Amino acid sequence: MMDIAVFVCSSERGLGLEMAESESSNLSQPECDASVRQFSANGISMQTSEVEAKLDEGNIQEAESALRDGLSLNFEEARALLGKLEYQRGNLEGALRVFDGIDLEATIQRVQHSLEDKPPSKKGRTRSETSFAFSQHSTNLVLEAIYLKAKSLQKLGKLTEAAQECKSVLDAVEKIFVGGIPDVLVDNKLQETISHAVELLPELWKKAGCYSEAMSAYRRALLSQWNIDNECCARIQKAFAVFLLYSGVEFCAPRLSVQIEDSYVPRNNLEEAILLLMILMRKVYLGKIKWDPSVLDHLTCAISLCGQTSVLAKQLEEVMPGLIHRTDRWKTMALSFSGSGQKRSALDLLKKSLNQHEAPNDVVSLLLAAKICSEDVLLAADGVKYAQRAIANANESNAHLKGVGLRMLGLCLGKQAKASSSDFERSRLQSEALKSLDSAVALECHNPDLIFELGILYAEHRNLDAALRCAKQYLDRTGGSMIRGWRLLALVLSAQQRFSEAEVVTDAALDETSKWDQGPLLRMKAKLKISQSLHMDAVETYRYLLALVQAQKKSYGPLGSSPQMEHEKVDEYEVWHGLANLYAGLSRWKDAEICLGKARALKDYSAETLHTEGIMHEKQGDADKALAAYINALLLEPKYVPAKILIGSLLCKMGAKMLPVARTLLSDALRIEPTNYMAWYYLGRIHKDEGRIADAIDCFQAASMLKESDPVESFSAIL
């Protein structure tokens, strides 16, 4: 028996084996008169008018009999053709009534029997092979009918029933082809029906709200041997990744029974989505599927969520030229490198993108370059230029971008002021920075980040009342959900010497913060205890912080630590170093040495540990060893201010010949950190020893005022 098909040609609509909703069919159709519509099967053709008339009258059995007699079909085949006709005529209820009479199990048994009788492959086409080919055509008609039944139920809003029918198609295929679908045994039309069903099932479960079933359907689609083509597989993988990323439901990892030995098994939705999207990107590189920019968009979102943006940069490097415009590629890679802490690499890419022959006026690139420069004193002057160009190129109608430009300009000017060697120039830059941030706030009054940065700038200029007002506004705007707001408020209070109030704020913040994020608050609390001379309480706080840091370190997985958030965390080295400083201040040398040894084991060469070591030697009366330790610290970090100050203080005690050297070191320390009261104090002592009493008085007054407004931690540490 030959192929079974239905061919209908009409000037009004075409009816054939094409799937509804643009589901293409690879089966070629013969030429026919546009005014004639007909069925064709087994080499026999018949017009559809008689069958349609019976269907219009509701005589399904008579229509079925006409088809069976006219085309030599069995019951299931006739029902399948009738149901398909009704479906394509738009009569969904009628199609369902026809499809309900199909016995899918009987069809499965017939095909299984034909597979058992099929002999080994020989040259030529045997009678058994012809019989098996006919069984496939017959099976396809029935499976396609059940698939169309699922589509009909879907259009009628009966999603759960539709999913069950679609699932029955796949169950039937697995019963027929127990070992998976072979490439050579299945004709194109049957494979097409299977592929459509595999792709449809998880979508039906999703729309029905059955997310666990949708997850199982996706994994079944990708882990079973359906012999689907690369494009279909890619669509399923993309849909699955999107589902994992945005469904809001966390699912368990794939079952052990379907895992390959030694294979990587994702532990959560995010890891599984990233794996799928990276597989899709790999397929693009190999030319197996077409480029889909949305895949890169979803991958960007997923990788950003886990903080591994350097991985995204690597993926972008592998994208073939021509798929993404090079300036867009450079800009996205710069964002990725910036997010992973590779600021210099990001800035180099942005410079290429902003070249006069590329996109010199791209506002987003200019703003990103300005942001990177705002974090480095040496690059701040370049950042000012980038920010000014961004403001000049921002469209007047886009107040947001102009506001961001003014914000970046303010931050860069503030950072540039710290590098200025002239007091007048520093004051001018600080004033311009405040003016730029105020202008930015006027354009973006609802942006809490701007208020926070303005508060930091006020605090660094020791305008503590304005800083306190900004800190409170920021906490109000963010609902107390941001740790840095609490830290700023506590630091401003500590700078006002209101240590007990600052501790109350810190305790309130600890109550509002998850355990893993409490590190910076606990470190601040320990320093507040020290400022109140509650040293043993500070020791207990440090011990609790150490236990937290060590537990956090053990709990980190491969994606557990985010480079973007490292500045908001406390590492074990900081805790041991803080304890060493505390014990040194209490003259408990043995305990201090133990803690210092722990710190050295974590960081071999550190200016901070050498600084503490020098303090211990100095307090024990060994000035030479102290000086050697301070000099070594300065050799490691030439701009390390505490070492410059203590070297200057020691040189002051060595006679008049060393005073010019000490004055140079202290002046350099004040150039780097103008608000360091210890530097002003020792500089005043030098002026006094050299007979410049008026200069000494000015220095001592500055030291006294700065000490009264000195926070327990640097304000810039919060940024």
Side-chain angles (χ1 to χ4, degrees), residues 31 55 104 203 214 222 229 246 275 319 361 368 381 384 421 424 482 507 538 549 579 608 619 624 650 671 711 714:
E31 295 181 2
L55 288 174
L104 183 58
E203 299 300 320
L222 297 175
D229 60 39
Y246 312 119
L275 178 62
V319 174
N361 298 324
L368 180 57
V384 170
S421 58
F424 173 78
M482 303 298 290
D507 288 335
V549 169
L579 278 168
E608 289 87 357
K619 286 188 175 182
D624 291 339
L650 283 175
R671 181 185 62 80
S714 171

Side-chain angles (χ1 to χ4, degrees), residues 578-606:
L579 278 168
N581 281 331
L582 175 55
Y583 285 130
L586 296 173
S587 299
R588 292 172 56 174
W589 310 119
K590 186 176 180 181
D591 291 334
E593 186 57 44
I594 291 171
C595 293
L596 204 58
K598 295 282 189 181
R600 286 196 201 99
L602 293 167
K603 193 182 288 188
D604 290 335
Y605 302 102
S606 168

Side-chain angles (χ1 to χ4, degrees), residues 6-8 14-29 84 87-88 144 148 189 192 196:
V6 53
F7 300 116
V8 182
L15 180 59
L17 284 179
E18 291 83 9
M19 294 288 186
E21 299 180 359
S22 301
E23 294 166 3
S24 63
S25 172
N26 295 324
L27 188 62
S28 60
Q29 297 189 23
K84 185 172 182 179
Y87 177 83
Q88 294 183 332
E144 185 184 30
L148 292 178
K189 194 65 184 82
E192 183 183 335
H196 287 314

Side-chain angles (χ1 to χ4, degrees), residues 167 170-171 174 201 216-224 226:
K167 181 176 179 295
L170 301 184
D171 292 341
E174 287 186 330
L201 181 58
S216 299
Y218 273 125
R219 287 177 176 160
R220 182 184 185 185
L222 297 175
L223 295 173
S224 299
W226 303 110

Side-chain angles (χ1 to χ4, degrees), residues 38-228:
Q38 62 182 14
F39 289 110
S40 178
N42 303 322
I44 307 171
S45 298
M46 66 176 292
Q47 294 187 5
T48 62
S49 55
E50 178 184 353
V51 177
E52 287 185 286
K54 295 181 183 298
L55 288 174
D56 291 338
E57 295 171 0
N59 297 325
I60 296 175
Q61 291 182 347
E62 292 184 15
E64 174 203 321
S65 298
L67 267 180
R68 291 175 64 184
D69 295 340
L71 298 176
S72 300
L73 304 176
N74 62 32
F75 176 81
E76 282 76 20
E77 294 164 355
R79 284 267 173 170
L81 284 178
L82 283 177
K84 185 172 182 179
L85 179 61
E86 287 284 60
Y87 177 83
Q88 294 183 332
R89 292 171 66 195
N91 185 4
L92 301 180
E93 295 286 356
L96 288 176
R97 285 194 296 271
V98 176
F99 288 142
D100 283 339
I102 295 175
D103 186 352
L104 183 58
E105 287 298 323
T107 303
I108 294 170
Q109 291 174 6
R110 282 199 303 272
V111 178
Q112 286 176 330
H113 181 70
S114 66
L115 281 172
E116 291 170 1
D117 292 344
K118 186 179 184 297
S121 178
K122 299 177 182 178
K123 290 186 177 180
R125 190 174 180 87
T126 67
R127 184 173 181 179
S128 296
E129 288 175 327
T130 303
S131 176
F132 172 66
F134 163 71
S135 297
Q136 282 200 70
H137 300 316
S138 177
T139 303
N140 177 59
L141 273 180
V142 176
L143 291 180
E144 185 184 30
I146 304 302
Y147 170 77
L148 292 178
K149 182 179 180 181
K151 294 289 291 182
S152 300
L153 290 166
Q154 178 191 15
K155 292 182 178 181
L156 292 172
K158 301 177 181 180
L159 297 172
T160 303
E161 295 176 45
Q164 293 290 356
E165 292 295 337
C166 192
K167 181 176 179 295
S168 69
V169 174
L170 301 184
D171 292 341
V173 172
E174 287 186 330
K175 289 179 182 178
I176 295 170
F177 303 102
V178 179
I181 303 174
D183 293 337
V184 295
L185 276 182
V186 179
D187 69 13
N188 293 338
K189 194 65 184 82
L190 178 56
Q191 181 62 63
E192 183 183 335
T193 302
I194 295 169
S195 298
H196 287 314
V198 169
E199 193 171 355
L200 177 64
L201 181 58
E203 299 300 320
L204 291 173
W205 284 126
K206 279 195 304 185
K207 291 177 180 178
C210 303
Y211 298 125
S212 296
E213 287 80 359
M215 171 68 68
S216 299
Y218 273 125
R219 287 177 176 160
R220 182 184 185 185
L222 297 175
L223 295 173
S224 299
Q225 295 182 16
W226 303 110
N227 196 32
I228 55 180

Side-chain angles (χ1 to χ4, degrees), residues 347 367-384 386-387 407-416 418 453 719:
L347 191 58
L367 291 174
L368 180 57
K371 183 180 186 303
I372 293 170
C373 292
S374 72
E375 299 169 7
D376 190 331
V377 172
L378 299 177
L379 298 173
D382 292 335
V384 170
Y386 287 129
R407 174 186 172 188
M408 291 302 111
L409 179 60
L411 294 177
C412 290
L413 287 168
K415 191 69 74 172
Q416 188 181 9
K418 294 181 179 180
E453 286 157 356
L719 287 171

Side-chain angles (χ1 to χ4, degrees), residues 358-483:
E358 299 294 343
N361 298 324
D362 183 67
V363 177
V364 174
S365 297
L366 289 166
L367 291 174
L368 180 57
K371 183 180 186 303
I372 293 170
C373 292
S374 72
E375 299 169 7
D376 190 331
V377 172
L378 299 177
L379 298 173
D382 292 335
V384 170
K385 295 176 183 177
Y386 287 129
Q388 289 171 339
R389 284 169 60 187
I391 295 168
N393 286 285
N395 194 320
E396 289 297 329
S397 61
N398 195 332
H400 169 66
L401 287 179
K402 189 173 182 181
V404 175
L406 287 166
R407 174 186 172 188
M408 291 302 111
L409 179 60
L411 294 177
C412 290
L413 287 168
K415 191 69 74 172
Q416 188 181 9
K418 294 181 179 180
S420 176
S421 58
S422 163
D423 291 340
F424 173 78
E425 181 70 10
R426 184 184 303 114
S427 177
R428 183 186 69 80
L429 290 171
Q430 288 172 344
S431 297
E432 288 185 12
L434 286 171
K435 182 179 177 181
S436 294
L437 287 178
D438 283 331
S439 300
V441 170
L443 289 174
E444 292 193 276
C445 56
H446 301 296
N447 188 344
D449 292 336
L450 266 173
I451 296 171
F452 175 81
E453 286 157 356
L454 191 60
I456 290 288
L457 205 57
Y458 279 131
E460 289 180 336
H461 298 164
R462 295 302 189 266
N463 187 345
L464 298 180
D465 291 335
L468 186 65
R469 184 174 64 253
C470 289
K472 290 178 178 179
Q473 286 180 5
Y474 180 74
L475 283 172
D476 289 340
R477 296 282 181 88
T478 58
S481 61
M482 303 298 290
I483 299 175

